[in-house]
Structures are given as C-alpha cells and as structure tokens.
Amino acid sequence: METNTTENNHSQLWLENLIAEKIKKNPQFSLRAFARMVDVSPAVLSRILSGKRKLTFNLATRIADALVLGPVERDTLYSFFLSSSSEEKTEEEKVQKELSIDCFNAMKEWYHYGITQLLYIESFKEDSKWISKMLSITELEAKMAIERLLRLEILDRDENGKLYRTATHLSTTTDIASAGIRHFQKQILEKSIESLEKDDVLERDITSITIAINEDRLAEAKLEIKKFRMKMSEFLSTGEKTRVYNLGVHLIPLSKSVNGDMNELN
C-alpha cells in the first residue's frame, strides 16, 4: 500500500506541474479546458488533483495523446502506473487494448458518442424522448444507449444522480483495427453525405483537397491532424454549448504508390 500511495502522490504532483506549465503558457487555460482535452469530467479531474482519486493508466494514455508527449515524457508518465514486473506490465497493457476493442464494438452506433457530447449542453435532459429528438433516433435507442454507456462505465452518476463522462475513453488515434470502429466511421461518412444534402451550407463545412504527397511524411501528417483536431475542439467548445457536431478530417489514397510494384503500373 505504501508503494501505491507514493506512486499516486508522484502522479498527482506530475499532473499539477503539467497544468501549471500549461496555464503559464496560456492564461486562458483552465482545469475545465484540460478536462475537455483529455475527455474526462472536471469533477473526476479535480478529485485526481486533490488525491481523492487515483490517476489511472487509461487516463494517463489519453493525457499523453492529447498533449502529444514525446517518448521520454510518456515513459515517465506511464512508469507511475505500471508494475515494475515486465510480465505484469505486459498483461496490463493487453487488458487495456482488449477493453478498448470491446468498448468500441459495443458502442459502434454513432449516437453513443452523440449522447456523451449532449451532456455538455446546459439544457441536457436525461430523458429518452428529448435525446431521441435531439439526435433523430428512436426513444428505445436512446434509452438502451444510456444503459450501455453506464454499463461500460463511459458514463457514471455523481452523488446527486446526475450523469457525467468518466475517465473511460477509447480512441482510434492509435490505429487499432476493429469492426466496431469501421462500422462507426462508415456511419459518420454517411452522416456527412446526409448533411451535404439537407443542411444549410452555413451550418456545415465539407471540403477536400487532392494532392500528390510524400508518403514518408504520413506519420507526421497524422500527428499534425491530431493537433488540429484538439485545437479546433477546444476552440469550438468555448462558451455555452448548443449543438453536437462531428469533425472529420480525411486523408486517403486515390492512386497506387510509385513505391510499390511498378509492374502493376505498366
């Protein structure tokens, strides 16, 4: 227990210093803004900083992704939570990955993510009818989605019974292959086509550019896209939230690669 307490204190101090450095660089940065960046409720983050709740490995991973930490910083952060035994460390990492795939497969319908964002709207009502109208889904889908999100611990309730997002968050940014993820992305692309047809041009922005690229820079490009997503998310989330949007940035190959088998091109 003494080791766990020490690790918890170290992780708490590390996180406090991280937020202090962020505030120093940007006076407008806040605990709420940081909570949005790592997709956790301000209440949960506050309890972590006060030492009332342990910083989990799952949340540590999201912090590293959100702040685009380098290898050395990631190792420092992860060392607080992983066992000194390499065998236990491998097992814990495996559990984390398996849970990610399971959660995505269980939440493959797009409206699960829509509901988690509706919570940020001040006028949110935990009412299946209200949610169904907001997202254009059935009341049964809304009811079952809430129950599923609670069961998966994506959502939880505070002492007053109010819903909030927990530290459990799963992302496709680590390139995990999953049928659930593919299903979700297909739905989002279909929603984009639907928006193109029915939404006013002032309410949407669907643009693209066709370019000849250097494939060696793809990894770097994905990193820059991630930074853009986080920056735009923070920008659009400032102030009163009134509607749920999905931001998609597409970078897809439209031709064969000249680095491949040239016989295929002849």
Side-chain angles (χ1 to χ4, degrees), residues 90-101:
T90 302
E91 185 62 25
E92 181 170 355
E93 290 172 343
K94 184 191 300 182
V95 170
Q96 291 288 340
K97 182 177 292 187
E98 289 175 352
L99 286 175
S100 297
I101 294 174

Side-chain angles (χ1 to χ4, degrees), residues 55-62 78 81-82 88-104 167-171 174 176:
L55 177 59
T56 65
F57 179 76
N58 196 15
L59 179 54
T61 301
R62 296 210 308 283
Y78 295 162
F81 317 100
L82 301 181
E88 291 180 4
K89 181 184 294 186
T90 302
E91 185 62 25
E92 181 170 355
E93 290 172 343
K94 184 191 300 182
V95 170
Q96 291 288 340
K97 182 177 292 187
E98 289 175 352
L99 286 175
S100 297
I101 294 174
D102 288 343
C103 283
F104 268 119
T168 303
H169 174 75
L170 304 165
S171 173
T174 50
I176 297 176

Side-chain angles (χ1 to χ4, degrees), residues 173-191:
T173 55
T174 50
D175 295 333
I176 297 176
S178 162
I181 294 173
R182 290 194 297 271
H183 180 85
F184 170 76
Q185 295 295 355
K186 287 178 181 178
Q187 287 187 329
I188 291 301
L189 291 174
E190 290 169 355
K191 297 293 287 185

Side-chain angles (χ1 to χ4, degrees), residues 108-144:
K108 63 182 181 180
E109 303 301 328
W110 68 271
Y111 50 77
H112 288 89
Y113 303 91
I115 290 174
T116 65
Q117 290 299 315
L118 279 179
L119 264 65
Y120 292 130
I121 294 180
E122 189 172 347
S123 58
F124 173 80
K125 298 178 183 178
E126 189 184 339
D127 177 75
S128 299
K129 187 174 183 179
W130 184 87
I131 294 173
S132 68
K133 287 184 176 180
M134 289 293 290
L135 298 178
S136 298
I137 60 178
T138 68
E139 291 185 39
L140 181 59
E141 285 175 327
K143 181 177 183 298
M144 293 183 67

